[in-house]
Amino acid sequence: MTVLTQEKTAIQNNLPPSNSREKAREFVKTLQDQICQGLEAVDGKAKFHEDNWQREEGGGGRTRVISDGGVFEQGGVNFSEVWGDTLPPSILVQRPEAAGHGFYATGTSMVLHPKNPYVPTVHLNYRYFEAGPVWWFGGGADLTPYYGFEEDAIHFHQTLKQACDKHHPEYYPAFKRWCDEYFYLKHRQEARGIGGIFFDYLDDRGILYGGSDHNGLAHQYSEKVGQVSHSWEDLFNFAQSCGNAFLPSYIPIVERRNSMEYGDRERQFQLYRRGRYVEFNLVYDRGTIFGLQTNGRTESILMSLPPLTRWEYGYKPEAGSVEAKLTEYFLQSRDWA
Amino acid sequence: MTVLTQEKTAIQNNLPPSNSREKAREFVKTLQDQICQGLEAVDGKAKFHEDNWQREEGGGGRTRVISDGGVFEQGGVNFSEVWGDTLPPSILVQRPEAAGHGFYATGTSMVLHPKNPYVPTVHLNYRYFEAGPVWWFGGGADLTPYYGFEEDAIHFHQTLKQACDKHHPEYYPAFKRWCDEYFYLKHRQEARGIGGIFFDYLDDRGILYGGSDHNGLAHQYSEKVGQVSHSWEDLFNFAQSCGNAFLPSYIPIVERRNSMEYGDRERQFQLYRRGRYVEFNLVYDRGTIFGLQTNGRTESILMSLPPLTRWEYGYKPEAGSVEAKLTEYFLQSRDWA
C-alpha cells in the first residue's frame, strides 16, 4: 500500500457511509422506542400517547407524551427527522462550510418531570446533522435533582463515564465540562442541575470541547481541550453507547427515590425549582429558542416545560436546610464520577 | 423676532430642561406610589412589601411586591433609576447617536397576577432615557384577560384613548397598533392579551410608529405612520397622562370581576394561560431579556412571572366554549375603543 493510498483510505474512513442518514435515523428512532419502553415499565401506571406530525418544509416526527403516571407527572420523548434548503443562521455560524447547502437532521430528545420531588428531572438529546460537505453528532444527558443525593449523582455520572471511556478517555472529562458550562443560568449564577455530558459539532476534526458563551445565542470555539480524530463509524458507535447508557443511568435512581414520602414542603420546593428549568429552556437553550424562531412544532418543543411551576419573589431556602444544600453543594461543579 | 431666532427657540423648546432627570424620576416614583396606594385599596387585604436596592454600576431601585391578597395572588411594582458608561448594544442599535456617551434611565414597571381568573392580569411600564445628545420616553399598559368581557376591553382602551387624545389624535391609533404588534407570541401565533398602548423612543423627531420584528431582540424602524413633533415638556405631559390613566383604566374592571365565583375549571385555564405570559416575557420581552443579560437585578426583573403556572402538551379548549372564545375572539386585534 502506497502512502497516497493509505491517506486516501484514512480520508474515506472519515466520510459518512452512503446510508448514514438511515443509520442515524434508525438509531435515534430505536432509542426513542427503548427509552419509552423502559420508562413505561418503571412508571407502572401511565402509557405514552403518540402524535405523528409532518413538517411542511420537509420531514416530520413522532412525539410521545406521558402524564399523570406512577412516577412521571409529565414528560415527553420526541423523535424527529427534518430536512430543508438551508440551516438557520445560528448553526451556520458554527458551520460556515454548510452555507448554501441543503441539510438533514434527525434526533431524539426527552425531558421527564417526575411527581415525587425526590426523583430528579432528567433530559436527554442525541442528534445527527448533514449539510453539504459537513456532518456531525451532538447530544448528551443531564440530571436536575430537587433534593440532592450523592449516590444518585455518582451513579448517573459513572454510568455515562463508562459509556464514554469505552471510546476515548478524553471524552467524559471534556463532555462533562461542556455540560456544566452549557446548562448554566447566568442570571441566577446557578447550574441547572448536577450535569452529565454534552457535546456538539462532533466530527472527524475531533474537537472535544469548544467553550460556551452561556447565552445560548451563539457558540464560538474558543478553546480546544483535546483533539481526537475518529471516523463516522467510531462517532456513531459512541453516540449509540451514550444513548444506550440512559436507562441504566436513570432507572435505578427512580427506583430508589420514588417510594420516598414527601409533603407540601418538598412539593412547594420542587414547583419553585421547576421555575429555573423554565427559565433555562426559554432564555438560554439553543434548541428551544431556534425551534421557536424557525417555525418548529411548538407543542413538541415546549413539551420540555413542567406541568406545574411557581415563582416567588425573593425566595431563599432556610440556612442549613436540605433545600439550601441543593444550590450550595449539589449544583456546584463537582467530579461526581 | 428674526427667522433665525424663531428657529433657535424651536430647537431650544425641544431640548430637555436642565432638571429633566429629576422631573422624570419624580414622575415615575410618584406613579409607583399612587399605583401602590390604589392597588392596596382595591385589594383590601394585602400590603406591598418594599425592598430598596443599589446597583453596583450606578443607581438603584425600590421594588414593591404584593402577594396572597384579596385580589392579587402575586404582583410587583418596581421603580428604578440607573446610570452608567454605555447603553447595551440592543438599545444602541436604535439610538446610534448615543454610542460613546454615558446614559441615564428611570422608570416604573408593574405586573399584577390576580387570583380570580375573571380578573385580568395587567402590565404597565413608563420610562425615560437620556444618553449624550438623545433622550426619549417609552412605555405603555396592556391587559391580559383569561376570560374575555367586551365591556372590560372597551373600558380599558377608552380610558387610555382619552389620555392619548388630549395630546394628539394620532397617538392612540399608533400606540394601540404598536402594542398589538409588540405583545405577540410568534411561536403560538397569538396575541398576549387584548392590548392597550405601547410606545418607545418617543422624542422630538415625533416618529409615532416604527414596526416591530416580533422577536424582541432588535427593533428596526421600518415604517412611519405619522410624524408629530412635540417638545420635551409636551411628551413629559403625555407620559404623565398615560401613567395617571392606569388606575381608572383597571380598578373598575377589578371591582366588576373580583366577586365572580369560579371553580377548578376556570382556575386550571388561568394557570394554563399564565404559561403564555411566561413564554412571552422570557422569549420576547426586550426589557426582560436584556435585563437578564446585562446583570440586572434578577428578582426585580422576574417579578413579572406568575405565582403558579402550568403547561400541558397539546391542550385545546373545547370548541364553542368561553375558553375557546378567548383566543378566537378576544385575542384577535380589534378596535375596542
Side-chain angles (χ1 to χ4, degrees), chain B residues 6-166:
Chain B
Q6 278 182 320
E7 278 184 8
K8 200 176 166 198
T9 306
I11 289 165
Q12 281 175 337
N13 280 344
N14 286 350
L15 285 177
S18 59
N19 60 347
S20 57
R21 297 178 178 199
E22 290 74 17
K23 289 182 81 167
R25 178 184 60 226
E26 285 315 302
F27 153 50
V28 294
K29 208 169 180 179
T30 305
L31 183 64
Q32 184 195 35
D33 286 336
Q34 288 169 346
I35 286 175
C36 289
Q37 283 162 24
L39 294 175
E40 283 184 353
V42 75
D43 187 86
K45 181 180 157 197
K47 300 284 176 194
F48 279 93
H49 166 87
E50 180 174 302
D51 276 341
N52 284 280
W53 49 272
Q54 302 293 314
R55 181 170 170 275
E56 206 168 292
E57 300 88 343
R62 198 167 71 172
T63 294
R64 291 186 184 154
V65 172
I66 192 166
S67 59
D68 298 321
V71 173
F72 303 111
E73 190 174 336
Q74 196 162 289
V77 190
N78 190 45
F79 156 78
S80 68
E81 180 189 31
V82 303
W83 54 84
D85 289 339
T86 181
L87 283 164
S90 54
I91 294 183
L92 289 175
V93 169
Q94 310 308 325
R95 276 293 185 271
E97 313 93 317
H101 296 281
F103 75 95
Y104 172 88
T106 190
T108 282
S109 63
M110 176 205 79
V111 174
L112 302 170
H113 294 286
K115 178 75 187 274
N116 188 319
Y118 290 113
V119 184
T121 284
V122 69
H123 162 247
L124 164 148
N125 170 248
Y126 289 102
R127 54 188 182 267
Y128 173 70
F129 279 82
E130 283 186 11
V134 290
W135 54 268
W136 68 90
F137 291 92
D142 63 284
L143 199 71
T144 305
Y146 303 93
Y147 289 88
F149 295 94
E150 298 251 356
E151 61 175 322
D152 294 355
I154 292 167
H155 171 78
F156 188 77
H157 275 272
Q158 278 185 345
T159 310
L160 293 174
K161 182 175 186 298
Q162 283 159 18
C164 293
D165 286 353
K166 282 192 287 182

Side-chain angles (χ1 to χ4, degrees), chain B residues 190 273 276 317 323-332:
Chain B
E190 256 180 35
R273 294 294 313 175
R276 297 291 204 274
E323 288 82 4
K325 200 179 173 186
L326 177 70
T327 41
E328 289 168 10
Y329 181 78
F330 284 95
L331 300 191
Q332 305 299 317

